[in-house]
Amino acid sequence: MAATTFEMDGSVMEGGGQILRLSAALSCIQGASIKINKIRAGRSTPGLRPQHLSGLELVRDMCNGNLEGATVGSTEIMLTPGKIKGGNHIADTQTAGSVGLLMQISLPCALFAQGPSELCLKGGTNAEMAPQIDYTLKVFGHPSNSRFGVQFDCDLKMRGYYPKGGGEVVLKVNPVKELSPINLTERGNITKIYGRAFVAGVLPFKLAKDMSTAAVRTIRKEVKDLYINIQSLQEKDKACGNGNGIIIIAESSTGCIFAGSSLGKKGVYADKVGIEAAEMLLRNIRHNGCVDDFLQDQLIMFMALANGTSRMRTGPVTLHTQTAIHVAEQLTDAKFVIRKSEDEHANNDTYIIECQGVGATNPNL
């Protein structure tokens, strides 16, 4: 297998760090070298940023691999993986680079390791342009998403905000023999809406209340009959730096989970932050799919590796999802088909993504 060298154009489709994360993880799991070029070519700061570099170095360490071209600003890397060995590893972006995205590249690799892994991930936990750690814990990590047979434990030690970072998460993962396919096609009714609005550091508690109140008011316009429980919190001991934000979660009767979230920025009124998160949640509920926009692309790699046919009911297929499918089909024999959902609950924006997974197995178990 190691004789194979894949090549991946890092500038296609979404053209960002996502291609890098998926390609490196799939290379590691399949034990095949990969050369990725034109990394983030279209971005305002092309090439590797510190958070991308720490993710690649983490994968290299996890699989005893060899990594060439790995410097900040580099637009071409080559990863030659060895065996994925489990054990303790540390990755530190030394910036507010996202801890959630470090998880995205390392979790799949840890599932195919020789033994349990403990990954200490440092950076931003609630930072722009990436899932907030609360999303990763509550939505991606929700029991209903252990459907692939994946189980991990994520311990939030410290929250870190833009620009300093300083957050820390410890991820414990047990390896699996193989991944089971999923069938996420029954949407059910929304039964619960809850969330958290937070302030940290020097920011006044009133901001949390304002975000929460505005969010509830917005959701009420469309969802009339549910109690909406959004807690307002002042982050005290477990927070590094200043920040404010909100995440709102909706659960359905069949265990589907949807989220909307937003982070405060200088000069943006708190109620605007709350409204933005609420509108994102409502958008994700309206399309009658079983996953929200973020989970949609995060499940693609697991579907590709699973043993059998997976189906996932979604809203409009995002560019991130199309990119994930492109990478998965290039680097594995998985086959994806996207079709409009035709049942009575579907609307114009409801799709079914179906995948014939390759049934990757963990040679160590």
Side-chain angles (χ1 to χ4, degrees):
M1 191 71 183
T4 323
T5 299
F6 288 118
E7 292 213 15
M8 182 55 70
D9 178 340
S11 68
V12 299
M13 301 171 89
E14 204 278 327
Q18 182 204 16
I19 295 181
L20 206 62
R21 288 187 291 277
L22 293 175
S23 302
L26 285 171
S27 145
C28 175
I29 289 165
Q30 300 191 96
S33 306
I34 189 156
K35 184 189 239 167
I36 309 170
N37 54 29
K38 299 191 200 154
I39 293 168
R40 300 180 69 256
R43 296 298 201 253
S44 56
T45 48
L48 296 175
R49 306 302 306 143
Q51 69 267 29
H52 304 118
L53 188 55
S54 51
L56 287 170
E57 289 170 342
L58 174 59
V59 165
R60 175 201 63 197
D61 295 348
M62 289 174 73
C63 71
N64 272 327
N66 185 35
L67 183 59
E68 293 161 49
T71 51
V72 170
S74 164
T75 55
E76 183 167 314
I77 62 112
M78 171 103 170
L79 173 66
T80 310
K83 286 234 191 309
I84 313 174
K85 58 180 191 302
N88 294 8
H89 301 281
I90 295 178
D92 187 352
T93 63
Q94 294 177 339
T95 62
S98 163
V99 166
L101 294 180
L102 284 176
M103 256 181 87
Q104 237 177 55
I105 190 171
S106 57
L107 174 65
C109 301
L111 292 170
F112 289 90
Q114 292 173 346
S117 302
E118 186 165 314
L119 311 175
C120 177
L121 311 176
K122 300 180 180 186
T125 58
N126 300 75
E128 279 300 329
M129 302 298 293
Q132 293 190 50
I133 194 64
D134 307 85
Y135 183 88
T136 310
L137 296 173
K138 298 263 190 329
V139 180
F140 185 76
H142 190 275
S144 71
N145 287 327
S146 59
R147 289 193 173 113
F148 289 104
V150 173
Q151 280 166 343
F152 65 88
D153 181 54
C154 190
D155 186 12
L156 178 55
K157 301 278 189 200
M158 178 68 75
R159 289 177 180 271
Y161 309 98
Y162 181 82
K164 287 205 179 69
E168 183 182 334
V169 162
V170 175
L171 180 65
K172 294 180 179 160
V173 188
N174 285 320
V176 294
K177 177 69 188 152
E178 60 180 21
L179 298 173
S180 323
I182 57 162
N183 189 26
L184 276 176
T185 52
E186 294 296 318
R187 154 59 194 268
N189 307 316
I190 300 298
T191 52
K192 242 192 204 168
I193 298 179
Y194 56 93
R196 68 194 305 274
F198 69 86
V199 293
V202 299
L203 299 175
F205 182 60
K206 181 184 182 309
L207 293 183
K209 288 268 191 244
D210 289 352
M211 288 187 292
S212 166
T213 306
V216 171
R217 203 173 51 233
T218 307
I219 296 169
R220 271 276 162 266
K221 291 178 188 159
E222 274 185 49
V223 181
K224 306 268 196 273
D225 52 346
L226 286 181
Y227 173 61
I228 302 166
N229 179 18
I230 301 176
Q231 294 176 306
S232 303
L233 297 161
Q234 176 101 43
E235 302 281 5
K236 284 274 197 291
D237 319 334
K238 285 193 165 182
C240 179
N242 308 312
N244 66 302
I246 180 170
I247 177 161
I248 318 163
I249 307 224
E251 290 189 20
S252 86
S253 51
T254 55
C256 300
I257 301 220
F258 309 88
S261 65
S262 184
L263 286 166
K265 294 181 206 55
K266 254 200 173 67
V268 176
Y269 284 114
D271 39 3
K272 193 165 175 222
V273 180
I275 291 166
E276 187 176 78
E279 285 178 342
M280 185 193 290
L281 177 70
L282 290 170
R283 213 169 40 244
N284 275 314
I285 292 174
R286 269 185 219 122
H287 57 55
N288 261 317
C290 293
V291 293
D292 63 23
D293 290 354
F294 298 108
L295 197 57
Q296 188 189 108
D297 71 82
Q298 287 179 34
L299 297 185
I300 294 296
M301 171 150 63
F302 296 97
M303 290 169 78
L305 293 169
N307 185 12
T309 306
S310 289
R311 285 180 198 86
M312 165 169 72
R313 180 188 174 102
T314 70
V317 179
T318 66
L319 182 56
H320 269 109
T321 295
Q322 291 166 17
T323 307
I325 289 174
H326 169 77
V327 174
E329 291 191 327
Q330 292 271 301
L331 302 185
T332 72
D333 292 331
K335 292 279 173 285
F336 285 84
V337 180
I338 301 175
R339 55 187 166 80
K340 275 253 161 105
S341 177
E342 300 295 350
D343 63 77
E344 73 279 19
H345 301 296
N347 54 34
N348 264 341
D349 290 332
T350 321
Y351 294 84
I352 302 278
I353 301 177
E354 189 169 304
C355 172
Q356 200 54 55
V358 294
T361 54
N362 188 335
N364 311 299
L365 293 186

